[in-house]
């Protein structure tokens, strides 16, 4: 197919330097017009996006305050930088300079952002073209994007501060939201940083509501993190008097989980050690094992701990971005385990509103998020 946009990809080292540009030119709903290289792929798969500040007719431009780096990505950057904040800063600047987006090449994941709308393309929000189904946007609206930074063109001018514990990065930057890109307006009653952190993982509790049935035995790995805690809350609501087992690594995080009181059993275990996790979970729930296992860990190598804890024909939900398809598929086959494995789609209908409502109705959970992020 002949590209409708000048995506020849040749440039002098600056993103988009060789492209001709017409102000308010027609943009593609899915953002193909911003793909630099390789040609013909979607923006998420592209190595490099055009991050120039010119406005296409269906785009939203956002003045970015905070990047919420995906937890698996931030954990990898922090580890590679030996926890040195200057080296993390350099790595983030380098990734965005090279790729035109904050797309970690090691983990493949992105994150999302918080900012204010500064420009709207002349055809953005045209009801006959609207793909995102969201509310109309106006200049000055405070929004969090609900699409990954790994497909969001980003011009990153400076980094002001990096929260090394939470992966939230204060920046001077401009981002582009495509016409198909979903977003959430920030709620008035929840601190912005808390909303940002919950929106990042909002697919997880919404999908948990679909997967967990009354009476289920549920195991949550990485239960003390953002997604883990919201998943535990939802699993408690959905399973009723079912059994909830939280697996977390480290005393502090386990204490946090215990205090919230959602889980029946909290196990302090390293999820990268499958035999130890399997033995401990089997010990507490019995040989039938779990109906649903939900993986919310932010480090690699936890596929088999999840699969081993599932009963025959049970469901394993891999929300973690550090999940390897190969390790999960071949690992399950290797131990003859017939389980349904679900990829953690970042999107499902109503996910953002669902997660915010979960916080509103759970003051102790909201308090944990406020202490961590606000
Ligand atoms: P988070 O807040 O950092 O939580 C991760 C939790 O896992 C933390 O409590 C962490 O404990 C724990 N953990 C780390 N290593 C562990 C180990 N070896 N054994 C047991 N627990 C361990 O992360 P998050 O934001 O909830 O994200 C969780 C995962 O979901 C990440 O992989 C992230 O990339 C992914 N994610 C997926 C989507 C999607 O659309 N599918 C969207 C957003 C995020 P410590 O804090 O003590 O290390």
């Amino acid at each position: 197919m002949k590209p409708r946009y000048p995506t020849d990809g040749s440039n002098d080292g600056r993103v988009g330097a060789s492209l001709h540009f017409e102000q308010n030119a027609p943009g593609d709903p899915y953002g193909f017009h911003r793909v630099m290289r390789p040609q013909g792929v979607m923006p998420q798969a592209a190595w490099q996006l055009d991050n120039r500040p010119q406005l296409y007719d269906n785009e939203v431009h956002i003045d970015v305050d905070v990047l919420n780096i995906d937890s698996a990505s931030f954990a990898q950057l922090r580890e590679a930088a030996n926890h040195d904040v200057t080296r993390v800063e350099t790595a983030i600047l380098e990734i965005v300079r090279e790729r035109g987006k904050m797309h970690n090449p090691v983990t493949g994941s992105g994150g999302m952002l918080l900012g204010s709308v500064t420009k709207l393309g002349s055809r953005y929000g045209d009801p006959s073209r609207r793909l995102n189904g969201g509310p109309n946007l106006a200049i000055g609206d405070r929004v969090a994007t609900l699409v990954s930074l790994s497909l969001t063109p980003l011009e990153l001018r400076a980094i002001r501060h990096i929260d090394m514990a939470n992966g939230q990065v204060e920046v001077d930057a401009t981002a582009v939201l495509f016409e198909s890109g979903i977003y959430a307006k920030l709620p008035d009653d929840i601190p912005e940083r808390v909303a940002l952190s919950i929106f990042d993982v909002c697919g997880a509790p919404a999908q948990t509501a679909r997967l967990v049935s009354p009476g289920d035995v549920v195991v949550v790995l990485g239960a003390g993190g953002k997604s883990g805690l919201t998943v535990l809350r939802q699993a408690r609501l959905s399973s009723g008097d079912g059994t909830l087992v939280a697996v977390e690594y480290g005393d502090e995080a386990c204490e946090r989980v215990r205090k919230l009181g959602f889980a029946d059993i909290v196990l302090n275990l390293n999820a990268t050690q499958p035999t130890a996790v399997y033995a401990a979970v089997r010990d507490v729930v019995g040989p039938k094992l779990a109906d649903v296992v939900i993986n919310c860990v932010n480090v690699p190598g936890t596929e088999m701990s999840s699969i081993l804890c599932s009963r025959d024909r049970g469901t394993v939900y891999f929300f973690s971005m550090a999940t390897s398809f190969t390790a999960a598929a071949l690992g399950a086959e290797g131990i003859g385990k017939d389980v349904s494995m679900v990829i953690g789609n970042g999107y499902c209908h109503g996910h953002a509103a669902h997660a915010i409502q979960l916080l509103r109705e759970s003051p102790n959970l909201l308090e944990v998020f406020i202490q961590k992020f606000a």
Side-chain angles (χ1 to χ4, degrees):
M1 189 176 77
K2 195 165 170 279
R4 285 168 59 206
Y5 306 99
T7 54
D8 65 359
S10 60
N11 64 77
D12 64 2
R14 285 175 46 226
V15 173
S18 72
L19 296 183
H20 260 322
F21 194 88
E22 208 187 304
Q23 265 305 340
N24 232 357
D28 175 85
Y30 297 112
F32 280 114
H33 58 286
R34 289 271 179 182
V35 172
M36 294 286 290
R37 64 188 169 108
Q39 289 183 35
V41 302
M42 302 286 281
Q44 203 280 334
W47 177 258
Q48 185 183 27
L49 297 180
D50 172 8
N51 63 354
R52 291 178 306 166
Q54 289 89 340
L55 183 72
Y56 283 84
D57 73 344
N58 62 346
E59 290 180 344
V60 179
H61 286 198
I62 299 170
D63 184 18
V64 184
D65 300 317
V66 185
L67 299 175
N68 190 91
I69 309 281
D70 166 69
S71 181
S73 170
F74 196 75
Q76 185 278 325
L77 291 168
R78 196 172 46 197
E79 203 57 38
N82 212 7
H83 295 254
D84 178 328
V85 67
T86 312
R87 286 173 62 192
V88 172
E89 176 180 348
T90 306
I92 293 172
L93 288 168
E94 180 56 26
I95 289 171
V96 180
R97 191 195 65 74
E98 187 176 336
R99 307 196 69 176
K101 56 178 175 172
M102 183 49 214
H103 188 172
N104 184 328
V106 179
T107 61
S109 55
M112 24 88 75
L113 61 84
L114 169 76
S116 303
V117 173
T118 52
K119 290 182 189 168
L120 293 167
S122 58
R123 294 218 293 161
Y124 181 82
D126 174 346
S128 65
R129 289 164 55 89
R130 285 245 311 276
L131 301 177
N132 55 29
N136 281 321
L137 284 174
I139 304 294
D141 278 350
R142 299 285 291 160
V143 290
T145 55
L146 298 176
V147 290
S148 174
L149 289 177
S150 65
L151 58 81
T152 303
L154 184 71
E155 190 201 10
L156 179 55
R157 293 177 289 277
I159 291 180
R160 299 187 197 289
H161 176 74
I162 300 180
D163 182 336
M164 289 292 277
N166 295 321
Q168 293 197 343
V169 182
E170 290 171 28
V171 295
D172 173 9
T174 303
V176 175
L177 184 69
F178 302 134
E179 184 180 2
S180 55
I182 51 174
Y183 57 86
K185 286 194 186 182
L186 290 161
D188 296 332
D189 58 336
I190 308 252
E192 282 193 347
R193 295 294 187 92
V194 172
L196 181 65
S197 61
I198 193 83
F199 285 145
D200 179 31
V201 298
C202 63
Q207 281 157 1
T208 298
R210 292 178 181 176
L211 295 172
V212 174
S213 305
D216 274 353
V217 174
V218 182
V219 173
V220 182
L221 305 173
K226 298 190 288 293
S227 54
L229 290 171
T230 52
V231 158
L232 271 182
R233 176 65 192 142
Q234 182 58 52
R236 179 79 281 156
L237 294 172
S238 301
S239 69
D241 61 0
T243 304
L244 226 58
V245 180
V247 175
E248 190 34 90
Y249 194 30
D251 295 335
E252 201 184 314
C254 284
E255 197 40 41
R256 188 162 61 232
V257 177
R258 265 187 212 104
K259 262 196 185 152
L260 278 170
F262 304 146
D264 298 297
I265 300 144
V266 181
L267 300 173
N268 187 348
L269 293 164
N270 181 351
T272 66
Q273 305 286 307
T275 47
V277 172
Y278 173 58
V281 168
R282 191 186 148 101
D283 226 30
V284 294
V285 303
K288 199 174 156 238
L289 300 168
D291 299 292
V292 182
V293 179
I294 303 179
N295 185 321
C296 295
V297 183
N298 62 345
V299 295
T302 63
E303 295 83 359
M304 290 315 291
S305 293
S306 313
I307 291 165
L308 278 166
C309 291
S310 168
R311 68 167 166 81
D312 186 45
R313 306 298 297 273
T315 299
V316 182
Y317 174 52
F318 285 112
F319 187 68
S320 169
M321 284 286 168
T323 305
S324 154
F325 180 88
T326 329
L330 299 181
E333 178 193 66
I335 57 167
K337 196 93 185 194
D338 184 354
V339 294
S340 299
M341 293 191 272
V342 180
I343 293 176
N345 182 348
Y347 175 69
C348 76
H349 296 307
H351 62 341
H354 178 270
I356 288 289
Q357 199 53 26
L358 210 57
L359 277 191
R360 285 191 183 119
E361 289 172 5
S362 192
N364 49 354
L365 181 60
L366 177 59
E367 191 49 40
V368 169
F369 272 79
I370 287 174
Q371 276 171 19
K372 218 164 146 42
F373 297 101

